[in-house]
Amino acid sequence: MIKNKMGNQTLDFSRRPVILGAASVVGKKEGEGPLSQWFDTVLEEDTFGEKTWEKSESKMLKTAMMEALQKSGRSKEDIGAMLSGDLLNQLMSSSFMARDLHIPFLGMYGACSTMTESLMLGSVLTDGQYSDNVIIGASSHYCTAERQFRMPLEHGNQRPPSAQWTATAAGAMVISSGKKEEEAMIADDEGNTKTPAVVKVCCGTIGKVIDAGIKDANQMGAAMAPAAVDTLLNHFADTGRKINYYDLILTGDLGYIGKDIAKDLLVDAGLPKKEVESRYDDCGAMIYAKEQDVHGGGSGCGCSASVFSSYIYKRMQRGELHKVLIVSTGALLSTISPFQGESIPGIAHAISLEIGQEER
Amino acid sequence: MIKNKMGNQTLDFSRRPVILGAASVVGKKEGEGPLSQWFDTVLEEDTFGEKTWEKSESKMLKTAMMEALQKSGRSKEDIGAMLSGDLLNQLMSSSFMARDLHIPFLGMYGACSTMTESLMLGSVLTDGQYSDNVIIGASSHYCTAERQFRMPLEHGNQRPPSAQWTATAAGAMVISSGKKEEEAMIADDEGNTKTPAVVKVCCGTIGKVIDAGIKDANQMGAAMAPAAVDTLLNHFADTGRKINYYDLILTGDLGYIGKDIAKDLLVDAGLPKKEVESRYDDCGAMIYAKEQDVHGGGSGCGCSASVFSSYIYKRMQRGELHKVLIVSTGALLSTISPFQGESIPGIAHAISLEIGQEER
């Protein structure tokens, strides 16, 4: 029995909603990384002029939302629903952002998988013709996350080599059932201008919670990798696609260690090693350079949210990437559960994005 | 311009998904309250045999999910997605429940509005034919919530008269695009058996975040009442319905004080006082008797989740209520934001349930 439209865990968005606009706001360190040129806004300093880190993060998310909206050519009044989440307890960044923007709001929590969770349900709302336009987003901030999940920065504790660096970043997208009225031209690296390709949301695979038994909060990549691989294998099974269907498969924030584990697991599951090596990457392994001293790579909701909303979206608009599977990965780590002897459950949701004509 | 299918903030579920099964699990105190007879499972003691309150709450939610599933006549394998949330940081109850049940999982956070948020998106998934069957739920526990939001119980602090009592309760529902193959007969108070009425989900209004400037965590009802009223007024505007369209309009957990504020605001907005008095009530004002010494009434995700999944669902099945608007209300209170001078934003989502033939 097919439980979901396209298979066991996969939903087909048959009307192909489009991402009308996307925007990213990142901190200073992220702006010094290898993806610097792709981000829309790079902060000069990570307080963003606010008195607390939480307010800084909320302002980053709000800025990303407003900028995505502006780029989409839609106004606040056109948006039927806003779906957003972050890592802070009670989604503090999203709640206060939503209070200011005054758009019907649905709070999402999937730890660092939040961006694709929001994209999944935002696509359902638009593809299903419940809302004409939906705005989605996610954020994280190094300073809020360290305080909440590990140690306040003032404590100055040493980070083990496997620890990941929570990205100070926010990403947002406007998903729509309609087209843009007027399309601004874009320029590529050589300065040639052209009409941007339309980025369509094609299908999505909802992840299950997978617990590999990892109990160390400094081993998040290892905790999430099995969930990412489970979602990927289910995506391939549900859609009948092979890895070479996609130009790029990009997990959220497994980091260097988790990425290696995921590659091993994918090859173990029978995927061709050459294809895994050439088509698979991870935002957490891309957002910082190794010299930036982040140890295990990047993490946080904002890591995949900002990379998808900038690097991926813009390269697709340029026609440099045609079919991309984005897979935000979340460690459902609680601040209480480790003290109660629990391990860290992981989850990952996958969304397939395409440009151009499809064979259907 | 109509942003959403049925108006500004309202989605129409035109295929009318049905609630195939619903179940509730409540604690000892809730089982001693006026709604006792309606709950499916009443715990003898609130640990539920677990070593920590968090594990107790997670087990209650899991039990409610399993029981709703069993009543729905569907199996775990038939369920396309599970949407659930709770009040604990990082949705600890839901995450660990989802790990055990192994159903594709989407985490929701809307504080105590989570039950109708999950019902909204679960209805979108089934009505939109993305999933054949979806399971949704929400939970709260007095002992976990007090520790997280106020003081650990061991502190024995005094509660002001306006403080509400977080319900130890969980509720779950199976929403389906299909019908039941076999319908078990139900009995009314007189012992007459009959075929239960089919409870349909008709439309839903997504709430905006409304902040009335309340900063006192012991005044949750006052913080949430304006959001509930805003959602109700938008629901009436979007649907063209008047208050007398519904047999009952039931907010989530405004409690005694918040309920009175909501009534005043509704009358101020021009709704007839007589209708407001006779058709409007609040789960937080219903779940405990005044003698139970809960001060401001009940609150928590589980309050509305358990009342909707038991009292409302069963009375509709019996044909005693035909049209009900359920409105879970959430205070997006963070454990950090009050220390940073922030007030408490509120949110409320409304879902319209009906039995019988409709004039359309």
Side-chain angles (χ1 to χ4, degrees):
Chain A
M1 182 179 170
I2 293 169
K3 299 180 290 189
N4 285 316
K5 208 173 175 180
M6 203 169 173
N8 241 1
Q9 294 179 219
T10 305
L11 315 178
D12 180 31
F13 306 124
S14 56
R15 293 191 190 84
R16 303 287 190 257
V18 300
I19 301 175
L20 276 192
S24 56
V25 177
V26 302
K28 192 164 177 288
K29 193 182 186 86
E30 293 69 23
E32 291 162 354
L35 300 181
S36 181
Q37 65 162 123
W38 300 97
F39 299 122
D40 296 296
T41 303
V42 176
L43 301 186
E44 281 173 34
E45 48 95 38
D46 291 1
T47 65
F48 208 177
E50 294 293 320
K51 280 189 181 170
T52 71
W53 298 120
E54 288 74 17
K55 288 181 204 270
S56 315
E57 183 183 331
S58 191
K59 188 175 172 183
M60 288 175 72
L61 181 57
K62 185 175 157 186
T63 306
M65 291 281 190
M66 298 286 280
E67 204 162 326
L69 199 52
Q70 188 262 321
K71 288 189 184 186
S72 74
R74 298 291 193 261
S75 75
K76 229 172 67 176
E77 289 65 36
D78 299 325
I79 305 293
M82 174 157 59
L83 290 78
S84 166
D86 53 81
L87 294 177
L88 294 186
N89 295 342
Q90 292 84 47
L91 307 189
M92 190 172 159
S93 305
S94 295
S95 301
F96 286 99
M97 175 277 297
R99 178 185 67 179
D100 292 351
L101 291 190
H102 225 68
I103 295 170
F105 175 66
L106 297 160
M108 302 282 123
Y109 188 77
C112 307
S113 72
T114 303
M115 191 65 181
T116 44
E117 178 181 348
S118 305
L119 192 44
M120 180 92 61
L121 289 167
S123 301
V124 168
L125 281 166
T126 46
D127 184 63
Q129 300 186 307
Y130 295 93
S131 301
D132 293 336
N133 307 286
V134 162
I135 190 162
I136 64 144
S139 66
S140 57
H141 196 299
Y142 178 71
C143 305
T144 61
E146 284 299 301
R147 167 155 72 189
Q148 180 176 289
F149 288 104
R150 292 169 200 95
M151 286 284 172
L153 297 184
E154 293 79 357
H155 187 263
N157 68 315
Q158 287 198 315
R159 309 171 65 244
S162 63
Q164 289 175 246
W165 189 278
T166 305
T168 300
M173 293 175 175
V174 173
I175 314 167
S176 180
S177 55
K179 301 264 168 290
K180 231 185 238 186
E181 316 232 316
E182 226 175 322
E183 194 64 82
M185 302 290 271
I186 54 165
D188 64 16
D189 281 340
E190 281 76 49
N192 306 316
T193 59
K194 61 171 171 177
T195 308
V198 174
V199 181
K200 297 172 291 181
V201 192
C202 297
C203 64
T205 301
I206 308 174
K208 294 195 293 266
V209 176
I210 305 284
D211 193 330
I214 308 284
K215 292 192 176 189
D216 179 357
N218 287 308
Q219 286 285 6
M220 305 288 259
M224 296 186 285
V229 170
D230 185 77
T231 298
L232 280 175
L233 297 178
N234 275 294
H235 177 80
F236 293 137
D238 287 353
T239 58
R241 293 172 186 169
K242 291 197 163 37
I243 183 168
N244 61 8
Y245 181 87
Y246 291 105
D247 302 333
L248 178 63
I249 292 173
L250 194 57
T251 47
D253 56 346
L254 301 184
Y256 305 119
I257 297 171
K259 180 183 162 183
D260 280 346
I261 296 173
K263 286 202 293 191
D264 285 349
L265 291 173
L266 287 171
V267 174
D268 278 355
L271 272 67
K273 190 167 182 183
K274 208 183 117 198
E275 300 285 356
V276 171
E277 286 291 344
S278 64
R279 290 173 197 271
Y280 167 68
D281 212 332
D282 178 76
C283 299
M286 290 161 65
I287 194 166
Y288 302 112
K290 290 227 171 177
E291 311 82 77
Q292 287 184 287
D293 197 26
V294 293
H295 300 357
S299 70
C301 297
C303 180
S304 65
S306 63
V307 175
F308 297 160
S309 304
S310 60
Y311 176 75
I312 295 301
Y313 184 67
K314 289 178 184 174
R315 287 201 66 197
M316 294 191 81
Q317 280 195 315
R318 288 186 181 187
E320 295 165 4
L321 291 169
H322 289 81
K323 294 173 181 170
V324 180
L325 189 68
I326 55 178
V327 193
S328 293
T329 41
L332 300 170
L333 173 73
S334 159
T335 48
I336 291 180
S337 58
F339 297 123
Q340 301 188 353
E342 288 285 8
S343 47
I344 304 172
I347 193 163
H349 306 295
I351 297 282
S352 140
L353 303 178
E354 298 194 16
I355 61 166
Q357 290 298 320
E358 298 167 62
E359 297 158 35
R360 289 213 248 177
Chain B
M1 183 182 169
I2 292 170
K3 298 180 289 190
N4 284 317
K5 208 174 176 181
M6 203 171 173
N8 241 0
Q9 294 179 218
T10 304
L11 315 178
D12 180 30
F13 305 125
S14 55
R15 293 192 189 85
R16 302 288 189 258
V18 300
I19 301 175
L20 276 193
S24 56
V25 177
V26 303
K28 192 164 177 285
K29 193 181 186 89
E30 292 69 23
E32 290 162 355
L35 301 181
S36 181
Q37 64 162 125
W38 300 97
F39 298 124
D40 297 295
T41 303
V42 176
L43 302 186
E44 282 174 34
E45 48 94 39
D46 291 2
T47 65
F48 208 177
E50 294 294 319
K51 280 189 179 169
T52 71
W53 297 120
E54 287 74 17
K55 288 182 204 269
S56 316
E57 183 183 331
S58 192
K59 188 175 173 184
M60 288 177 71
L61 182 56
K62 185 175 157 187
T63 306
M65 290 281 191
M66 299 286 280
E67 205 163 323
L69 199 53
Q70 187 263 319
K71 289 187 185 188
S72 74
R74 297 292 193 261
S75 74
K76 230 171 68 177
E77 289 66 36
D78 300 325
I79 305 294
M82 173 157 59
L83 289 78
S84 166
D86 52 82
L87 294 177
L88 294 186
N89 295 341
Q90 292 83 47
L91 307 190
M92 189 171 159
S93 306
S94 295
S95 301
F96 287 98
M97 176 276 298
R99 179 186 65 179
D100 293 350
L101 290 190
H102 224 69
I103 295 170
F105 174 66
L106 297 160
M108 303 281 123
Y109 187 78
C112 307
S113 71
T114 302
M115 191 64 180
T116 44
E117 178 180 347
S118 305
L119 192 44
M120 180 91 61
L121 288 167
S123 302
V124 168
L125 282 167
T126 45
D127 184 63
Q129 300 185 308
Y130 295 94
S131 303
D132 293 337
N133 308 286
V134 162
I135 191 161
I136 64 144
S139 66
S140 57
H141 196 299
Y142 178 71
C143 305
T144 60
E146 284 299 301
R147 166 155 71 188
Q148 180 176 291
F149 289 104
R150 292 169 199 94
M151 287 285 173
L153 297 185
E154 293 79 357
H155 187 262
N157 69 315
Q158 287 198 313
R159 309 171 64 244
S162 63
Q164 289 175 246
W165 190 279
T166 306
T168 300
M173 293 175 174
V174 173
I175 314 168
S176 180
S177 57
K179 301 265 170 288
K180 231 186 240 188
E181 315 233 317
E182 226 175 322
E183 194 64 81
M185 303 288 272
I186 54 165
D188 65 15
D189 282 340
E190 280 78 48
N192 304 316
T193 58
K194 61 171 173 178
T195 308
V198 174
V199 180
K200 298 172 292 180
V201 192
C202 297
C203 63
T205 302
I206 308 174
K208 293 195 293 266
V209 176
I210 306 283
D211 193 330
I214 307 284
K215 293 193 176 188
D216 179 357
N218 287 308
Q219 286 285 5
M220 305 286 260
M224 295 187 285
V229 170
D230 184 76
T231 297
L232 280 175
L233 297 179
N234 276 294
H235 177 81
F236 293 137
D238 287 353
T239 58
R241 293 173 188 169
K242 291 196 166 36
I243 183 168
N244 60 8
Y245 180 87
Y246 292 105
D247 302 333
L248 178 64
I249 293 172
L250 194 58
T251 48
D253 56 346
L254 303 183
Y256 305 118
I257 297 171
K259 180 183 162 183
D260 280 347
I261 296 173
K263 286 202 293 191
D264 285 349
L265 291 173
L266 288 170
V267 174
D268 279 356
L271 271 67
K273 190 168 180 179
K274 209 183 115 199
E275 300 284 358
V276 172
E277 286 292 344
S278 64
R279 289 173 199 271
Y280 166 68
D281 213 332
D282 178 76
C283 300
M286 290 162 66
I287 194 167
Y288 302 110
K290 291 226 173 178
E291 311 81 76
Q292 287 183 288
D293 197 28
V294 293
H295 300 359
S299 71
C301 297
C303 179
S304 65
S306 63
V307 174
F308 296 159
S309 303
S310 60
Y311 176 75
I312 295 300
Y313 184 68
K314 289 178 184 173
R315 289 201 65 197
M316 293 190 82
Q317 280 195 315
R318 288 185 182 189
E320 294 165 5
L321 291 168
H322 290 81
K323 293 172 183 171
V324 180
L325 189 69
I326 56 177
V327 193
S328 293
T329 41
L332 300 170
L333 173 74
S334 159
T335 47
I336 291 181
S337 58
F339 297 122
Q340 302 187 354
E342 287 286 6
S343 47
I344 304 171
I347 193 162
H349 307 294
I351 297 282
S352 142
L353 303 177
E354 298 194 16
I355 61 166
Q357 290 297 321
E358 297 167 63
E359 298 159 35
R360 290 214 247 175

